[in-house]
Amino acid sequence: MRRARWAYGPFWLTYLFLYTPIVVLVAMSFNAADTPYSWGGFSTSWYGELSGDEAIREGLVNTLVVAAGSTALATVLGTLLAVGLARYPRLRVLAVLATLPAILPDLILAIGLLAFYSAVRATLGLHSVLLAHTVFGMAFVATVVRTRLSHSDTSLEEASRDLGAGPVTTFVRITLPTLAPGIVAGALLAFTLSIDEFVIAFFTAGPKDPTLPIVIYSMVRFGVTPEINALATVLLAVSFTVVILAQRLTRLTDSLR
């Protein structure tokens, strides 16, 4: 038993290394002092400062618009792509190309997208960021949905067609409900990745439409303040809430099936 307890040492040290900075960040967001390096008492004033910061509000609105739009497009296109790749397994080259945006480094993908926009003489703005986020979000959605599809029972679709249902009816009433947990998981993954993404947004955004990560970067260049810690805490709380809701929704969907 003692040896077994010692075996958990590296495990807990790893978690301590990962989550200690997050705990410190959350604690310092309630710091009353102007500097994040010394404790000046408990205060929630920095959360009030967030609501009054016009740059943060604008960046948050832009981020939510891009995340919602790219998630919707990536979910639809990624789901259709996953179904197509599963129905035609011989197209291995297309399967590799479909997952390539998720494997490529963000810097390479950002430079490639910027070069493409320059080649077609497209203007940069929220629309360019939205399309760029759709590209790599679609790859993640397709991967998750394809994994879900590989564990589904294809005999249900065959039975539906044998009973006279057409391809569209079978897809809507059989395939989509079966893939619902994977679609939800892929959509939430694409949404969270779009909110946190910085490199691609930095290369493809216009000067007048900064997203929230770009705004945070411009603020961090002059030093970390408790206001930034408060903003990071809010984003952390939103991320935890989305993950919990996704788990609840996935379990509910599985139970209804």
Side-chain angles (χ1 to χ4, degrees):
M1 292 296 296
R2 292 180 178 178
R3 292 181 178 179
R5 292 177 181 177
W6 279 106
Y8 284 101
F11 173 80
W12 291 114
L13 288 176
T14 301
Y15 271 89
L16 184 65
F17 176 77
L18 290 175
Y19 289 102
T20 297
I22 298 178
V23 173
V24 173
L25 182 146
V26 173
M28 296 306 292
S29 68
F30 296 99
N31 185 14
D34 294 337
T35 173
Y37 306 108
S38 61
W39 181 257
F42 182 86
S43 175
T44 59
S45 60
W46 296 108
Y47 289 90
E49 293 288 338
L50 290 177
S51 60
D53 196 317
E54 183 178 355
I56 291 179
R57 289 203 308 268
E58 181 182 358
L60 178 60
V61 171
N62 292 338
T63 297
L64 292 178
V65 170
V66 171
S70 62
T71 299
L73 291 175
T75 302
V76 174
L77 298 177
T79 301
L80 296 177
L81 179 61
V83 174
L85 293 175
R87 296 293 182 268
Y88 301 96
R90 296 181 180 180
L91 303 178
R92 297 181 179 178
V93 177
L94 292 181
V96 174
L97 293 177
T99 58
L100 195 59
I103 301 174
L104 287 175
D106 290 346
L107 183 60
I108 296 178
L109 185 59
I111 295 174
L113 289 169
L114 180 59
F116 171 76
Y117 288 146
S118 300
V120 299
R121 297 181 180 179
T123 58
L124 298 181
L126 290 182
H127 61 282
S128 59
V129 182
L130 190 150
L131 293 177
H133 284 194
T134 302
V135 171
F136 75 85
M138 182 175 61
F140 286 98
V141 173
T143 302
V144 175
V145 175
R146 191 181 178 191
T147 302
R148 177 73 181 184
L149 190 60
S150 63
H151 294 85
S152 62
D153 189 3
T154 57
S155 62
L156 296 177
E157 297 180 1
E158 296 176 358
S160 176
R161 290 191 294 268
D162 291 339
L163 293 174
V168 177
T169 303
T170 300
F171 180 77
V172 173
R173 304 190 64 177
I174 304 298
T175 306
L176 278 183
T178 302
L179 299 179
I183 295 174
V184 172
L188 291 174
L189 180 61
F191 184 80
T192 54
L193 289 175
S194 177
I195 289 179
D196 297 336
E197 213 289 318
F198 168 75
V199 177
I200 296 177
F202 184 79
F203 276 79
T204 58
K208 298 182 180 179
D209 301 307
T211 59
L212 188 58
I214 297 177
V215 174
I216 295 175
Y217 171 74
S218 63
M219 297 171 63
V220 171
R221 287 187 303 171
F222 302 100
V224 180
T225 63
E227 184 180 3
I228 298 177
N229 293 335
L231 178 59
T233 303
V234 172
L235 294 177
L236 183 65
V238 172
S239 300
F240 272 114
T241 304
V242 170
V243 171
I244 293 173
L245 290 177
Q247 292 179 347
R248 297 285 185 180
L249 184 60
T250 301
R251 292 178 181 177
L252 178 62
T253 305
D254 289 335
S255 62
L256 293 177
R257 292 180 59 246

